[in-house]
Amino acid sequence: MSGVEWVGPLLTALAILLLAVVLVIQRRQASGTDGESGIRDGAAPAAAGLDRAAVEALAASVSEPVFVHGERIEAVNEAFCALTGLAREQVIGRRIDEVVDPRYSRLIGKQLALRLAGGDAPEFSEVEIVDPFGQVTRLELKASTLEVGGQRLALFSAAEIMRIEHEAPATVELDPRAQLALQSLDAALLIADAGGRIEFANPLAEEWCGLPASAMRGKRLGELVSFIDPQDRHPLPDPLEQAIATRASVALAGGVLLVTPPTGAERGVEVRVSVMPGTTDQPAGAVVLMQVRQPLFAVAGPAGVGLPVEVEGYQSTHDPLTGLINRRGLEQRLADLLARDRDNRRGHVLCRVDIERLQGINDAHGREAGDLMLKELSRVMRTGLRESDPLGRVGGAQFALLLPGCLLDKGLQVSRELARRIEAHRVNWKGQVLSAGATVGVLEMLCPVGSAAELLDAADAACFAARASGGKIKVRTMEDARSSALGGEGDSLRQLQLALSEDRGLLFVQPIQAAATGVHGGPELEVLLRFPDTEGHPVAPGEFIRAAERHQLLGQLDRWVVRRVLEEVAGGGIRLSEGRSVSVNLSGVTMADPAFLDYVVETLDRTGVPAERLCFEVGEAAVIRHLDVARRFIEVLHGMGCQFALDDFGNDVGSLAYLRSLAPDYIKIDGTFTRNLARDAVSRAMVSAVIGLSRTLRFRLVAEQVEDQAALDAVRGMGVEFAQGYAIARPQPLRPAA
């Protein structure tokens, strides 16, 4: 299991199984049906008929691979489909003796018939299942008998039998004491119907809600308790109502305050609401789990006391956010696997998963929302994997999965399932439904495989190749990685880190020219960054910027540029005319870093460059996403004497509304409008509007990407103060001062 689990995996499975059946009991009682239904051994209850919704909800609620069998297979969960490579429709409605390899059909069929007849059937059996691609999966099936709606069923849990030694995954135990376990959970559990009305509550839920279960029945969660954001004390939407409305799981894992009326008592809790699927468009109901918020482990001991060795070791190999192993931990697992299997006779697969759209979530909703998405997706990806399949978080939005003893076809099935689950998952964040995507690189590890670090680098390259090709999944071998000249993003990252450490970045400069008469001051040139490849040639910025962004190096990159630029201005490598400044690009990440402005002050003091010689450019999209941060950033810059330019202006029409509060010194009009300014009436109208606004708000304009004389003439004719582009000069390498 990964991350911080609220209860143990077995206990959670048992609890949710019981809850699903409690729902069936209460619905039948409410509808006047005599008898009882439940999960137990013994005589069949009097009620007749199979509640298929309850059976499907039961199977879907279990994390281990399971299927439920009556006369035919009635329900199967995603974990079983992922394990066997079979689609749901290839399982539902068939008999198990039709699903397994024909060599096992007769034996498993007899055992099933004996169990359904109430006989003394074997608990364990071994079978093989062949998927449509010919991949064979050998399974150990564990059977248990249950009764739902008066019909005897068999619940099979499955564990893959591996050729390398590993601990067998936990299986579902239908213990008669499960009801006692449900009542003893250290979490508050509620179950609601499809309309969001409470049908069941355990003792802790009664305590927290301040009412007995009988009094809660039929009420909505919002009538019993309320939830408050601990930061701003604003009320939060009812998570149960959100889950029912969106038919998606809701998690308030960042910590919220649960308020119980009428006393107003508050307690910090984490909340998860899981929707139970129904047989129609309506869900069958939902399960609410609430637990007191607790940290994963203490990160500091008493004063003067160090952390225990085992905690330090854990922290060094595990990601504190998700609880998964980190890159170092995964390298250790890889090294152990290679040591056990030196000849690599079995073949293994290493998958690298990039989470898409996470940066957009961070920008639009804050890092807490992005962290919640990462924790949720960590849980989603872990579900259905074998215990012998290590899943790790190896970067900001990057995960890696090792599949020991796995052939490529099976690895591709697992990768497709991972991508599907990630894209299907929804997270509710303060009333908004968030989703992500995935790009997967699949590395086939055949002999010779190389070192653990080389394997991870090659998997990085496979993922980069998948992204570059516009596909979702890309397969590579170690031979592919070695024969690749650049090696994908893994090489871009290494080249970037090496160039930064050796101070080998390349600065290019592009002049900014006064386009109107009588214009004084303003930026004289823009500094552009390039890095050399292995042969010393400048690399296109997209390659290393992408690597820097995903590996959280943008702040280091921006600081490097600021330091070099100010050193060149101080040393005479960059010569500025009187009253003119040099323009430096910043990322939104750096703009939001409070320590960056201190760094600028220190560097200005050290180099002796006047602050008015420095102008920072930040893209329009980043400014709009971090509007409050941008306002404070510009205010502090102006207080220091520096200048600020809003770059790429015009891509978002809504940005016009923010200009008054931002008070930039310069607006750089995006090249989308300036390239066709001489010929496109819409572009001229847009630029005219910005010019009029600039006269009112007293900022000056720079036309970017002015590529020909016609565009330059149009810029001058309209009264834009400055121009930049190929029509004036192309970027040239900066010649450092001697």
Side-chain angles (χ1 to χ4, degrees), residues 129-150:
I129 293 179
V130 183
D131 68 17
F133 299 93
Q135 178 68 36
V136 178
T137 304
R138 187 173 181 82
L139 300 175
E140 180 185 77
L141 299 180
K142 182 177 181 181
S144 301
T145 304
L146 58 93
E147 294 177 359
V148 175

Side-chain angles (χ1 to χ4, degrees), residues 429-450:
W429 176 257
K430 297 183 179 180
Q432 298 193 52
V433 180
L434 309 179
S435 63
T439 300
V440 185
V442 180
L443 180 69
E444 185 180 20
M445 296 162 51
L446 300 174
C447 187
V449 294

Side-chain angles (χ1 to χ4, degrees), residues 21-177:
V21 176
V22 169
L23 174 64
V24 178
I25 295 172
Q26 293 177 347
R27 284 180 179 166
R28 293 189 181 282
Q29 290 174 343
S31 62
T33 303
D34 294 331
E36 61 179 6
S37 69
I39 299 179
R40 59 183 177 88
D41 289 322
L50 177 64
D51 190 328
R52 190 174 301 277
V55 175
E56 291 183 349
L58 183 151
S61 300
V62 183
S63 60
E64 292 79 14
V66 298
F67 63 91
V68 180
H69 205 302
E71 294 182 1
R72 298 181 181 276
I73 296 176
E74 305 290 350
V76 62
N77 67 0
E78 291 184 355
F80 184 86
C81 293
L83 177 63
T84 60
L86 298 177
R88 186 175 182 275
E89 56 269 21
Q90 294 173 316
V91 180
I92 295 293
R94 301 178 67 192
R95 299 192 310 271
I96 184 60
D97 56 350
E98 297 173 332
V99 174
V100 302
D101 186 280
R103 294 175 297 165
Y104 301 86
S105 297
R106 185 176 179 183
L107 179 60
I108 192 67
K110 283 186 175 182
Q111 292 176 354
L112 174 65
L114 184 61
R115 178 168 295 277
L116 294 178
D120 187 16
E123 185 179 16
F124 294 93
S125 56
E126 292 185 9
V127 298
E128 289 184 357
I129 293 179
V130 183
D131 68 17
F133 299 93
Q135 178 68 36
V136 178
T137 304
R138 187 173 181 82
L139 300 175
E140 180 185 77
L141 299 180
K142 182 177 181 181
S144 301
T145 304
L146 58 93
E147 294 177 359
V148 175
Q151 182 171 338
R152 188 185 300 273
L153 303 173
L155 174 67
F156 288 88
S157 61
E160 186 170 10
I161 302 173
M162 299 296 297
R163 296 185 178 88
I164 59 176
E165 294 183 0
H166 65 282
E167 293 183 5
T171 56
V172 178
E173 296 284 349
L174 298 179
D175 196 315
R177 297 174 296 174

Side-chain angles (χ1 to χ4, degrees), residues 368-405:
E368 283 190 12
D371 287 349
L372 176 59
M373 176 65 77
L374 288 173
K375 289 191 284 188
E376 284 279 288
L377 293 181
S378 298
R379 177 183 60 82
V380 167
M381 287 188 282
R382 194 71 190 92
T383 301
L385 297 177
R386 305 168 300 185
E387 289 296 322
S388 59
D389 299 338
L391 175 68
R393 184 186 178 206
V394 296
Q398 303 159 3
F399 294 81
L401 171 64
L402 175 60
L403 300 173

Side-chain angles (χ1 to χ4, degrees), residues 348-361:
H348 316 292
V349 170
L350 180 61
C351 306
R352 258 280 283 109
V353 183
D354 274 2
I355 305 301
E356 307 287 352
R357 301 195 292 275
L358 185 68
Q359 186 62 49
I361 292 174

Side-chain angles (χ1 to χ4, degrees), residues 18-342:
L18 254 297
L19 286 170
V21 176
V22 169
L23 174 64
V24 178
I25 295 172
Q26 293 177 347
R27 284 180 179 166
R28 293 189 181 282
Q29 290 174 343
S31 62
T33 303
D34 294 331
E36 61 179 6
S37 69
I39 299 179
R40 59 183 177 88
D41 289 322
L50 177 64
D51 190 328
R52 190 174 301 277
V55 175
E56 291 183 349
L58 183 151
S61 300
V62 183
S63 60
E64 292 79 14
V66 298
F67 63 91
V68 180
H69 205 302
E71 294 182 1
R72 298 181 181 276
I73 296 176
E74 305 290 350
V76 62
N77 67 0
E78 291 184 355
F80 184 86
C81 293
L83 177 63
T84 60
L86 298 177
R88 186 175 182 275
E89 56 269 21
Q90 294 173 316
V91 180
I92 295 293
R94 301 178 67 192
R95 299 192 310 271
I96 184 60
D97 56 350
E98 297 173 332
V99 174
V100 302
D101 186 280
R103 294 175 297 165
Y104 301 86
S105 297
R106 185 176 179 183
L107 179 60
I108 192 67
K110 283 186 175 182
Q111 292 176 354
L112 174 65
L114 184 61
R115 178 168 295 277
L116 294 178
D120 187 16
E123 185 179 16
F124 294 93
S125 56
E126 292 185 9
V127 298
E128 289 184 357
I129 293 179
V130 183
D131 68 17
F133 299 93
Q135 178 68 36
V136 178
T137 304
R138 187 173 181 82
L139 300 175
E140 180 185 77
L141 299 180
K142 182 177 181 181
S144 301
T145 304
L146 58 93
E147 294 177 359
V148 175
Q151 182 171 338
R152 188 185 300 273
L153 303 173
L155 174 67
F156 288 88
S157 61
E160 186 170 10
I161 302 173
M162 299 296 297
R163 296 185 178 88
I164 59 176
E165 294 183 0
H166 65 282
E167 293 183 5
T171 56
V172 178
E173 296 284 349
L174 298 179
D175 196 315
R177 297 174 296 174
Q179 181 66 39
L180 177 61
L182 173 63
Q183 301 295 328
S184 305
L185 284 176
D186 61 347
L189 284 154
L190 299 163
I191 188 167
D193 62 16
R197 298 187 181 278
I198 304 300
E199 293 188 329
F200 176 84
N202 75 341
L204 191 57
E206 293 178 314
E207 177 185 337
W208 287 7
C209 295
L211 290 172
S214 58
M216 284 191 273
R217 197 164 293 126
K219 296 183 179 296
R220 299 186 182 278
L221 183 60
E223 299 176 55
L224 304 173
V225 295
S226 59
F227 299 94
I228 294 177
D229 189 322
Q231 302 297 324
D232 55 20
R233 304 290 300 179
H234 287 167
L236 298 175
D238 181 346
L240 177 56
E241 293 288 346
Q242 285 183 313
I244 293 293
T246 61
R247 301 173 194 167
S249 297
V250 175
L252 304 179
V256 298
L257 293 178
L258 173 73
V259 182
T260 305
T263 64
E266 296 181 358
R267 54 172 48 88
V269 298
E270 292 184 332
V271 183
R272 174 180 297 282
V273 183
S274 300
V275 176
M276 297 192 301
T279 56
T280 64
D281 290 340
Q282 286 288 1
V287 177
V288 182
L289 178 64
M290 299 184 290
Q291 190 179 43
V292 174
R293 188 185 183 197
Q294 295 177 344
L296 177 61
F297 47 74
V299 296
V305 179
L307 289 170
V309 173
E310 60 270 20
V311 175
E312 289 182 344
Y314 181 92
Q315 289 178 323
S316 68
T317 57
H318 285 74
D319 171 46
L321 177 66
T322 63
L324 300 177
I325 56 176
N326 57 20
R327 193 176 188 95
R328 179 180 178 184
L330 192 65
E331 284 187 358
Q332 290 181 1
R333 301 289 183 93
L334 271 168
D336 291 344
L337 175 63
L338 297 178
R340 290 198 309 267
D341 187 22
R342 288 186 174 87

